[in-house]
Amino acid sequence: MAMTHTPNNLIHTISLSLLIFSSSLTLTTSQSSVCRTSCGDIPIKYPFGIDDGCGSPYYRHIFACSSSGKLELRTPSGRYPVRNVSYADPHVVVTDPFMWSCEDGERFRPTRPFSLDSSTHFKLSPQNEYMFFNCSEDNVIIQPKPIFCEHFPQHCDSSCDSASYLCRHLPGCSFALPRSTCCSYYPKATESLRLMLKYCTSYASVYWKNVGAPMPYDQVPEYGIRVDFDIPVTTRCLQCQDPLKGGGTCGFDTLNQSFMCLCKDGNSTTHCKDYDIARHNRRVHVIAGTVTGFSVAGAFGIGAAVWYLKKVRAKAPVTCGVQSNENRLF
């Protein structure tokens, strides 16, 4: 029996063809062009990325670039503005808007402890030093450290040094706290910082910045929190970055976090001159650089086909009940 091509059959046939056609228009753009290389005036290099699929998966979703072009570090305790990033001496310096500053003087604002996710490749730098203000002497050991440690060495690490250089010379405002007490302490864990703030009014973090001057003037104190990080170096990443092999960008597949070399012409599992780059161009679920789009000619063709279907459908008789929103195509 010959098949009768009714208008409804024609509609379904053409709509299926449109779906197949639109799927074939899935385009893979250059992933490396999607990876931004800066946020404001801060360069973004491996292992970091502010676009998903860029950099190392160890630092995925760690940084965000705000609409105003400000780089921020995400931690369990909040989002913190990044002042600078060093890749030669791997570290990030962030500012904590909740900690005390010289402008506050004796006005201490509510604060909260800065913390890091222990599962990441970040750690607080030993170059940080914390100053705590107006601590309860009933709960915190506040003593001049050299003398106290000499007499009580077993409690030396748990004491807050009231004779520290930083407390006697507050960076940028030596005489800002004439009526408040100050002691210096380096918490070895986030919990220690949290406990200290439970019994102290506020805190400030100072890190010792290398300025390249002759010793002992090679370091100066600056407000901020220095966070050290590791740079995971792999053979595949080095091959990907090799200019002789295309000079790609190290990244990863957002579905399974496997390594991906991000190139101008697509993505590869090895380097930009590898033969399988075309195969990865055809994948539908490539990492963040994959976008779905239509060419101008394709969009025009689909629009014309939709207009034709509407015209045919408007003239088609209703033969199988009343058309409703449930069974109409458009």
Side-chain angles (χ1 to χ4, degrees), residues 278-304:
R279 176 169 59 86
H280 287 282
N281 283 349
R282 291 195 298 268
R283 295 198 315 161
V284 177
H285 52 78
V286 186
I287 49 184
T290 301
V291 296
T292 301
F294 300 99
S295 65
V296 174
F300 178 79
I302 291 176

Side-chain angles (χ1 to χ4, degrees), residues 13 27 40 57 70 83 121 177 180 213 233 268 270 274 293 330:
T13 301
L27 304 176
K70 301 296 183 182
R83 185 182 302 166
H121 287 230
L177 299 173
S180 298
V233 179
S268 171
T270 52
D274 193 14
F330 294 104

Side-chain angles (χ1 to χ4, degrees), residues 242-302:
D242 188 347
L244 297 178
K245 296 182 178 180
T249 301
C250 298
F252 58 92
D253 191 315
T254 56
L255 295 182
N256 54 29
Q257 299 195 28
S258 61
F259 175 80
M260 195 71 74
C261 186
L262 317 177
C263 311
K264 294 180 180 179
D265 299 322
N267 306 307
S268 171
T269 57
T270 52
H271 53 79
C272 295
K273 290 192 175 181
D274 193 14
Y275 70 92
D276 71 343
I277 193 168
R279 176 169 59 86
H280 287 282
N281 283 349
R282 291 195 298 268
R283 295 198 315 161
V284 177
H285 52 78
V286 186
I287 49 184
T290 301
V291 296
T292 301
F294 300 99
S295 65
V296 174
F300 178 79
I302 291 176

Side-chain angles (χ1 to χ4, degrees), residues 21-327:
F21 176 68
S22 64
S23 297
S24 68
L25 291 174
T26 299
L27 304 176
T28 301
T29 61
S30 165
Q31 170 68 34
S32 59
S33 66
V34 175
C35 296
R36 285 172 285 178
T37 57
S38 66
C39 178
D41 58 354
I42 298 179
I44 305 298
K45 303 178 182 178
Y46 184 84
F48 299 141
I50 51 178
D51 300 292
D52 201 13
C54 304
S56 169
Y58 291 127
Y59 298 102
R60 187 180 189 182
H61 303 316
I62 292 293
F63 288 102
C65 189
S66 69
S67 57
S68 58
K70 301 296 183 182
L71 188 63
E72 296 177 323
L73 174 70
R74 292 188 179 109
T75 80
S77 55
R79 292 169 65 144
Y80 298 88
V82 176
R83 185 182 302 166
N84 60 65
V85 179
S86 171
Y87 297 93
D89 176 21
H91 72 271
V92 176
V93 175
V94 302
T95 56
D96 182 357
F98 293 94
M99 73 181 186
W100 179 87
S101 65
C102 287
E103 291 75 16
D104 293 331
E106 299 279 359
R107 302 181 301 275
F108 295 100
R109 296 172 287 114
T111 187
R112 65 186 184 194
F114 174 84
S115 66
L116 288 173
D117 186 349
S118 58
S119 66
T120 64
H121 287 230
F122 283 121
K123 58 181 179 293
L124 288 175
S125 172
Q127 295 186 33
N128 292 320
E129 197 166 338
Y130 297 88
M131 295 178 293
F132 295 90
F133 306 111
N134 294 335
C135 299
S136 168
E137 295 188 13
D138 295 332
N139 303 101
V140 179
I141 302 175
I142 305 173
Q143 294 289 337
K145 208 157 194 175
I147 300 175
F148 180 79
C149 291
E150 182 180 343
H151 291 87
F152 305 97
Q154 69 276 19
H155 298 295
C156 182
D157 289 341
S158 59
S159 64
C160 194
D161 186 9
S162 59
S164 75
Y165 171 85
L166 291 177
C167 280
R168 289 182 288 111
H169 304 87
L170 289 170
C173 49
S174 296
F175 306 103
L177 299 173
R179 296 183 300 275
S180 298
T181 60
C182 172
C183 64
S184 180
Y185 176 65
Y186 178 75
K188 292 181 171 58
T190 300
E191 186 61 30
S192 300
L193 178 58
R194 187 177 295 111
L195 283 173
M196 287 292 291
L197 286 178
K198 183 178 180 180
Y199 302 113
C200 304
T201 303
S202 187
Y203 88 108
S205 173
V206 171
Y207 75 101
W208 291 91
K209 179 181 179 180
N210 293 312
V211 292
M215 293 182 65
Y217 308 105
D218 57 329
Q219 292 183 327
V220 295
E222 284 200 6
Y223 291 102
I225 302 173
R226 171 172 165 150
V227 179
D228 295 338
F229 64 88
D230 300 322
I231 300 180
V233 179
T234 64
T235 302
R236 287 193 294 180
C237 183
L238 293 175
Q239 288 181 341
C240 172
Q241 294 174 329
D242 188 347
L244 297 178
K245 296 182 178 180
T249 301
C250 298
F252 58 92
D253 191 315
T254 56
L255 295 182
N256 54 29
Q257 299 195 28
S258 61
F259 175 80
M260 195 71 74
C261 186
L262 317 177
C263 311
K264 294 180 180 179
D265 299 322
N267 306 307
S268 171
T269 57
T270 52
H271 53 79
C272 295
K273 290 192 175 181
D274 193 14
Y275 70 92
D276 71 343
I277 193 168
R279 176 169 59 86
H280 287 282
N281 283 349
R282 291 195 298 268
R283 295 198 315 161
V284 177
H285 52 78
V286 186
I287 49 184
T290 301
V291 296
T292 301
F294 300 99
S295 65
V296 174
F300 178 79
I302 291 176
V306 170
W307 173 83
Y308 173 74
L309 286 173
K310 287 184 176 180
K311 186 175 181 181
V312 170
R313 195 191 140 280
K315 295 180 179 180
V318 179
T319 57
C320 299
V322 178
Q323 293 190 80
S324 66
N325 289 332
E326 285 71 33
N327 61 22

